């Protein structure tokens, strides 16, 4: 059996998957905030309960919103104060007497999609999350490409390319990012960025869903706004495609529910790519909010 933890600031979810990658059990508990021992024992208790239920020790994977391990093997996750700065993987592996694998939740999202029945035929899968922030991941032949420090797929912290200034106007403010830099594409392509661009160009405050609702009603400003956003997304994404050259792109996050983005994007990409490049299939994520838990469970899968 394959166990996948999706750990966030408020809840710990454990999904149990069988050899056919089907979810057979899911449990949730509140996330302990102040006590590392209680945090560890909560995870271990959930695993042992599943072991007893299925009569075998399952493999354990964990998805977390942060960096799985720094140079000294400790976890960095700002919204998991009980575990941040601790060697979670090493300690839990020792407690459970089996290997525990930990990955960033965006990588787990991508891995979940790469193991979808429809997508398994693609060797190199790029995940792109357009939600509260902008993130993603890379999966090659069913395995996450983490990079030297676990930062592979942090697409949101690449900077606005030159062509983006043509789309947005060369006087566009280079917004300060939470990472400490300015001009990160996350501030323009995330759900909040989608709304900020509306306010910047039209002077009124609307949420992303409200803008989409206006677009669906045929509002001319909303149509213009979405076209501009799509052009910006194409410019930024073309840089990623040139570097990665994936066989498939899967888009998740709140904005992925706006089907126009998925449908209209491929036609906008070719003019920003090399002549020999091919636009890969671009699909909406199939597994939604379950992707982090599902991908964590599949950290132990092999082709």
């Amino acid at each position: 059996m394959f166990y996948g933890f999706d750990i966030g600031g408020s809840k710990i979810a454990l999904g149990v998957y069988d050899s056919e990658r089907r979810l057979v059990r899911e449990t949730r508990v509140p996330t302990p905030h102040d006590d590392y021992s209680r945090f560890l024992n909560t995870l271990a208790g959930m695993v042992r309960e599943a072991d007893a239920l299925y009569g075998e020790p399952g493999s354990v994977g964990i998805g977390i919103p942060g960096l799985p391990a720094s140079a000294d093997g400790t976890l960095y996750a700002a919204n998991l104060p009980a575990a941040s700065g601790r060697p979670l993987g090493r300690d839990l592996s020792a407690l459970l007497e089996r290997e525990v694998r930990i990955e960033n939740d965006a990588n787990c999202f991508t891995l979940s999609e790469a193991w979808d029945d429809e997508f398994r035929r693609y060797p190199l899968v790029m995940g792109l999350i357009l939600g509260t922030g902008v993130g993603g991941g890379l999966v090659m032949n069913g395995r996450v490409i983490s990079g030297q420090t676990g930062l592979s797929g942090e697409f949101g912290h690449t900077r606005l390319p030159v062509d983006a200034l043509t789309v947005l106007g060369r006087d566009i403010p280079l917004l300060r990012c939470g990472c400490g830099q300015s001009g990160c594409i996350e501030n323009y392509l995330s759900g909040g960025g989608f709304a900020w661009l509306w306010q910047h160009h039209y002077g009124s405050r609307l949420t992303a869903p409200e803008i989409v609702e206006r677009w669906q009603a045929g509002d001319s400003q909303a149509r213009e706004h979405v076209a501009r956003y799509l052009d910006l997304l194409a410019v930024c994404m073309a840089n990623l495609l040139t570097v990665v050259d994936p066989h498939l792109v899967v888009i998740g996050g709140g904005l992925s529910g706006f089907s126009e983005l998925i449908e209209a994007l491929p036609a906008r990409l070719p003019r920003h790519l090399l002549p020999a490049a091919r636009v890969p299939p671009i699909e909406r994520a199939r597994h939604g909010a379950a992707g982090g838990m599902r991908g964590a469970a599949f950290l132990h899968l092999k082709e």
Side-chain angles (χ1 to χ4, degrees):
M1 307 297 283
F2 299 94
Y3 303 164
F5 281 103
D6 181 12
I7 303 180
S10 61
K11 56 82 183 168
I12 296 172
L14 172 63
V16 178
Y17 295 81
D18 63 17
S19 60
E20 301 299 316
R21 306 189 307 283
R22 294 175 299 203
L23 178 66
V24 295
R25 186 170 190 258
E26 181 177 351
T27 54
R28 292 171 179 251
V29 300
T31 302
H33 286 154
D34 304 318
D35 188 315
Y36 181 55
S37 293
R38 189 158 71 91
F39 186 91
L40 272 178
N41 288 325
T42 296
L43 299 181
M46 296 173 78
V47 168
R48 288 169 180 152
E49 183 181 18
D51 286 349
L53 185 62
Y54 295 103
E56 62 180 83
S59 63
V60 179
I62 297 175
I64 58 103
L67 296 179
S70 58
D72 61 0
T74 58
L75 176 78
Y76 172 75
N79 67 343
L80 302 178
S84 192
R86 303 280 193 156
L88 176 62
R90 184 166 67 237
D91 289 347
L92 191 58
S93 294
L95 193 60
L96 293 173
E97 300 182 318
R98 73 195 78 170
E99 180 189 10
V100 174
R101 297 181 180 177
I102 305 179
E103 265 297 347
N104 173 269
D105 52 4
N107 288 337
C108 290
F109 154 79
T110 307
L111 185 64
S112 169
E113 296 299 325
W115 277 98
D116 180 84
D117 287 342
E118 184 180 353
F119 297 156
R120 282 188 64 190
R121 67 183 185 273
Y122 297 107
L124 179 55
V125 177
M126 184 177 94
L128 181 63
I129 300 172
L130 303 175
T132 304
V134 172
L138 300 171
V139 170
M140 173 67 85
N141 295 326
R143 302 298 294 269
V144 170
I145 301 173
S146 298
Q148 179 183 193
T149 56
L151 289 172
S152 293
E154 289 288 350
F155 304 132
H157 297 290
T158 59
R159 308 293 189 273
L160 286 174
V162 172
D163 287 351
L165 303 181
T166 302
V167 174
L168 297 177
R170 293 190 175 270
D171 60 345
I172 192 77
L174 297 181
L175 299 175
R176 187 77 170 171
C177 183
C179 74
Q181 302 292 340
S182 297
C184 292
I185 66 173
E186 176 169 284
N187 288 318
Y188 307 89
L189 293 180
S190 64
F194 185 82
W196 181 87
L197 286 169
W198 173 275
Q199 182 180 352
H200 174 73
H201 287 283
Y202 303 112
S204 63
R205 293 191 177 187
L206 294 177
T207 64
E210 288 170 339
I211 297 167
V212 171
E213 185 176 342
R214 288 195 179 194
W215 181 91
Q216 291 169 336
D219 178 84
S220 60
Q221 286 186 332
R223 294 275 169 168
E224 180 182 61
H225 173 74
V226 168
R228 182 186 299 112
Y229 177 87
L230 275 165
D231 285 338
L232 176 63
L233 179 59
V235 165
C236 296
M237 192 168 161
N239 279 1
L240 304 178
L241 297 181
T242 299
V243 173
V244 177
D245 196 22
H247 297 89
L248 170 71
V249 175
V250 181
I251 299 180
L255 285 175
S256 71
F258 182 25
S259 60
E260 173 69 7
L261 300 185
I262 309 294
E263 295 167 4
L265 185 58
R268 282 173 156 81
L269 283 165
R271 67 179 177 273
H272 303 295
L273 296 171
L274 293 170
R278 287 186 295 177
V279 176
I282 299 174
E283 299 282 353
R284 182 183 176 188
R286 299 289 195 262
H287 300 281
M293 182 177 70
R294 189 172 181 270
F298 297 167
L299 288 169
H300 290 267
L301 279 178
K302 296 180 180 178
E303 288 284 3

